[in-house]
Amino acid sequence: MTHEQAILDELASDVEAFLQATSEEHYLNGAGLKPELQLTPIYARHAHLFERESLEKVRRVQLQARDEPIRRRARHLLDFLTGGYLESAVKERMEALVTRESQATVPVEGEAIPYRTLPVRIANEPDRQRRQRLFAARQAFTAELNPEREAIWRITRQQVRALGYDSSLSMYRELKGIDYPSLGPRMQALLSRTQEAYERWFGPAIARQSGAPLGQARKHDVAWMLRATDFDGIFPADRLLDALHRTLRGLGIDPGGQPNVHLDTEVRPHKSPRAFCAPVRVPHDIRLVILPQGGRDDYHALLHEAGHTQHFAHTRPDLPVEFRYLGDNSVTESFAFLLEYLTTNPCWLEQVLGVSADQSRAYRTFAYLDRLYFLRRYAGKLLYEIELHAAQDLAGMPARYDAILSQATGVQYGTVDYLDDVDTGFYVAEYLRAWALEVMMRERLVQRWGLDWFARREAGELLRELWADGQREDGDELARRLGFSGVDFEPLIRELEAGPPQGSA
């Protein structure tokens, strides 16, 4: 064992203990089993990980190691430790913010509604005036939290500069190995080339569904439209878990024979309304949490998180910590999207849910609109976050958020969510790369096994082979294994340009 490897192994062991503890804490809070998110004691026990000395030690390994896997481990570890170093500077503030969100209720017309459930209420409210009041109440409380978010941003910015980076943008670019500025023109191309399809297909749909045309529609109008209540009959709550189990069995996975996977379906008052995966001990203890409610959102969320769950559950246990927990999250997100978008596969709809051809065409048209909106929204988010992470201060950023997102989607976004609508660690880029990877992966599966690849054990064997490597490879390397030159947005853009599935109503 080399000296560099010994350094990484020692730190990685402590990192794994830290990740297990924080994942357990997030699970307990998100599953509604614990009212408060208590991360401070965990950070205190592992404080040495997020000291400058640890960061510098790993940086030296990265610079001096001759072995490529060691350098890669060091880069992933440095990325994680730097994120923890920045988070530790604001952990008390962040903990208080998350706890306040989880415990807060918002008064709306005499009713006290939990803040976390307001998005669900908004998306399920057909009356536009009532929906606007619910939305306004949520925005008002979000605005109350903004001064704390702004303080967290400023403290983090100071820490980034103290580490020697001139901006968060340059820091993420170095740590994650993603050329974010080069993604900007690719997102501009996506927006430009899909504009005609967006105006032709999404514009009339949002006007018809909400009564507000593009340019006048609000975020709550999109939430109601994309709730897709007309398709609730296709996605009943009582068939949710059966659909997942049938899908897994089709791929040769026995859902009852995975002792390392725990499915939490219990209803609890403060449980997160959206499914999530808690990889507590990869691959030995993976928890999939769902609050069954029915509807397409539930199916999408469960299948998406099941993609993460199966990826983590099949990861080789002998891989270094950095390749089991860390790395390019474009990889795990691509597997999540692959299962999620089975809901747009006509064979899956017919074979698993028993959907008629007419229902399938109507739903797949809707699903195309949903996908078109979200890809344009995330393209806009990336363009905005490039500016945000390069910014020296927050002056003008609320207005830039509103301008960029509103232009990308044709929906009035407003300024309130300009920090709330930002994922940690520039994750928006990894989502976008994952969307591109999903199309490439799906193309290969369909080419080899047809549209019903999800019912082929051979396809499951290929996926298990890919899952076994955890995140040892980055998104570009995964793309090359699939026969591409790297993460390519062209197949995704072409799919969006083409309009609704052929033959759809």
Side-chain angles (χ1 to χ4, degrees):
M1 178 184 295
T2 65
H3 176 64
E4 289 87 358
Q5 186 176 348
I7 290 174
L8 295 186
D9 285 350
E10 181 180 356
L11 281 170
S13 177
D14 291 343
V15 164
E16 184 165 25
F18 171 83
L19 288 169
Q20 290 173 1
T22 54
S23 186
E24 175 82 22
E25 186 69 15
H26 280 292
Y27 163 73
L28 292 172
N29 179 253
L33 293 167
K34 189 175 181 181
E36 296 180 349
L37 183 68
Q38 296 178 315
L39 297 177
T40 298
I42 301 173
Y43 274 90
R45 293 199 303 272
H46 298 87
H48 66 286
L49 288 174
F50 309 115
E51 295 172 351
R52 287 289 294 271
E53 181 181 353
S54 295
L55 272 65
E56 295 303 327
K57 188 183 298 185
V58 176
R59 187 183 296 278
R60 284 194 296 271
V61 170
Q62 184 186 17
L63 293 173
Q64 296 171 6
R66 296 181 180 181
D67 185 62
E68 195 280 332
I70 294 296
R71 290 197 303 271
R72 181 176 299 214
R73 285 185 60 192
R75 182 165 65 81
H76 292 339
L77 194 56
L78 182 60
D79 178 26
F80 172 76
L81 295 180
T82 301
Y85 175 82
L86 297 176
E87 289 172 6
S88 66
V90 295
K91 60 182 180 299
E92 291 88 356
R93 287 178 175 272
M94 185 59 70
E95 185 177 291
L97 182 65
V98 172
T99 297
R100 187 177 176 190
E101 284 184 347
S102 66
Q103 296 181 349
T105 57
V106 178
V108 182
E109 299 175 342
E111 181 183 3
I113 303 175
Y115 176 71
R116 279 186 172 180
T117 66
L118 270 170
V120 176
R121 293 286 295 271
I122 291 167
N124 283 278
E125 178 51 61
D127 183 86
R128 191 168 192 253
Q129 297 303 315
R130 167 72 174 168
R131 195 166 65 240
Q132 170 61 33
R133 289 192 290 272
L134 290 166
F135 180 73
R138 184 187 186 279
Q139 294 298 88
F141 187 77
T142 301
E144 289 182 21
L145 301 177
N146 274 349
E148 187 61 19
R149 289 196 179 92
E150 290 161 357
I152 289 170
W153 188 93
R154 284 190 291 269
I155 294 169
T156 302
R157 169 70 185 153
Q158 292 169 359
Q159 295 299 315
V160 167
R161 290 185 65 85
L163 289 174
Y165 301 101
D166 61 2
S167 68
S168 298
L169 181 63
S170 61
M171 179 189 73
Y172 286 127
R173 187 175 183 178
E174 177 181 321
L175 294 175
K176 295 183 179 295
I178 298 175
D179 186 358
Y180 298 99
S182 74
L183 288 176
R186 298 162 85 178
M187 295 304 101
Q188 293 285 12
L190 186 152
L191 291 171
S192 175
R193 288 174 55 184
T194 61
Q195 183 67 35
E196 181 180 353
Y198 194 67
E199 292 176 355
R200 179 182 178 186
W201 299 103
F202 189 86
I206 187 70
R208 185 170 57 249
Q209 189 74 8
S210 71
L214 284 180
Q216 297 178 25
R218 304 288 301 277
K219 287 173 68 177
H220 63 78
D221 292 318
V222 177
W224 162 246
M225 172 188 168
L226 298 184
R227 168 62 181 83
T229 55
D230 290 347
F231 301 108
D232 279 353
I234 296 178
F235 301 104
D238 59 2
R239 295 192 61 187
L240 178 65
L241 297 179
D242 178 65
L244 171 62
H245 293 163
R246 290 186 63 182
T247 302
L248 294 178
R249 285 194 293 268
L251 292 168
I253 300 169
D254 177 11
Q258 291 186 288
N260 57 336
V261 174
H262 170 64
L263 185 61
D264 182 339
T265 62
E266 290 187 32
V267 177
R268 305 183 189 97
H270 294 285
K271 193 176 190 179
S272 171
R274 187 166 182 81
F276 68 93
C277 169
V280 177
R281 278 197 314 127
V282 179
H284 305 293
D285 182 4
I286 314 299
R287 305 176 194 179
L288 177 56
V289 182
I290 182 73
L291 182 63
Q293 301 172 91
R296 65 179 293 273
D297 283 348
D298 251 12
Y299 278 71
H300 271 234
L302 179 61
L303 288 168
H304 184 98
E305 299 304 325
H308 288 308
T309 298
Q310 294 304 320
H311 179 206
F312 292 129
H314 283 90
T315 294
R316 282 168 34 205
D318 62 327
L319 287 175
V321 171
E322 297 88 345
F323 300 156
R324 285 185 286 123
Y325 290 89
L326 311 179
D328 180 3
N329 287 317
S330 305
V331 173
T332 190
E333 292 296 347
S334 70
F335 296 131
F337 284 135
L338 182 69
L339 292 195
E340 175 182 345
Y341 289 130
L342 281 172
T343 57
T344 66
N345 183 316
C347 291
W348 188 89
L349 288 168
E350 178 185 351
Q351 295 177 22
V352 176
L353 295 186
V355 175
S356 70
D358 288 343
Q359 287 178 315
S360 174
R361 282 194 297 270
Y363 175 70
R364 287 185 296 123
T365 294
F366 166 81
Y368 163 77
L369 299 178
D370 172 75
R371 185 173 171 85
L372 182 59
Y373 167 78
F374 269 101
L375 264 296
R376 289 180 61 88
R377 164 172 148 73
Y378 269 76
K381 266 172 62 71
L382 179 65
L383 293 171
Y384 165 69
E385 290 189 28
I386 288 174
E387 291 190 19
L388 177 67
H389 288 301
Q392 301 301 313
D393 57 53
L394 292 172
M397 294 315 301
R400 291 300 294 152
Y401 171 80
D402 181 33
I404 294 173
L405 270 294
S406 297
Q407 182 177 8
T409 63
V411 174
Q412 295 180 24
Y413 258 68
T415 61
V416 170
D417 292 318
Y418 85 105
L419 289 178
D420 186 36
D421 189 17
V422 174
D423 297 313
T424 303
F426 231 142
Y427 210 87
V428 60
E430 288 164 293
Y431 273 135
L432 284 161
R433 284 162 53 84
W435 267 310
L437 275 168
E438 183 273 334
V439 177
M440 293 187 281
M441 196 182 312
R442 174 160 40 89
E443 282 187 0
R444 289 295 183 258
L445 290 167
V446 172
Q447 285 169 1
R448 293 186 65 177
W449 293 291
L451 274 175
D452 64 344
W453 61 264
F454 58 87
R456 306 296 184 92
R457 294 180 66 90
E458 299 89 345
E461 289 172 5
L462 173 60
L463 290 176
R464 286 191 289 277
E465 179 183 327
L466 298 176
W467 290 336
D469 279 335
Q471 296 198 142
R472 181 179 61 83
E473 297 178 325
D474 63 22
D476 289 296
E477 290 167 320
L478 175 58
R480 287 193 283 273
R481 285 182 69 178
L482 296 169
F484 297 87
S485 60
V487 176
D488 186 1
F489 284 87
E490 185 62 25
L492 173 61
I493 293 174
R494 286 200 303 266
E495 193 170 86
L496 295 175
E497 281 182 298
Q502 202 169 33
S504 294

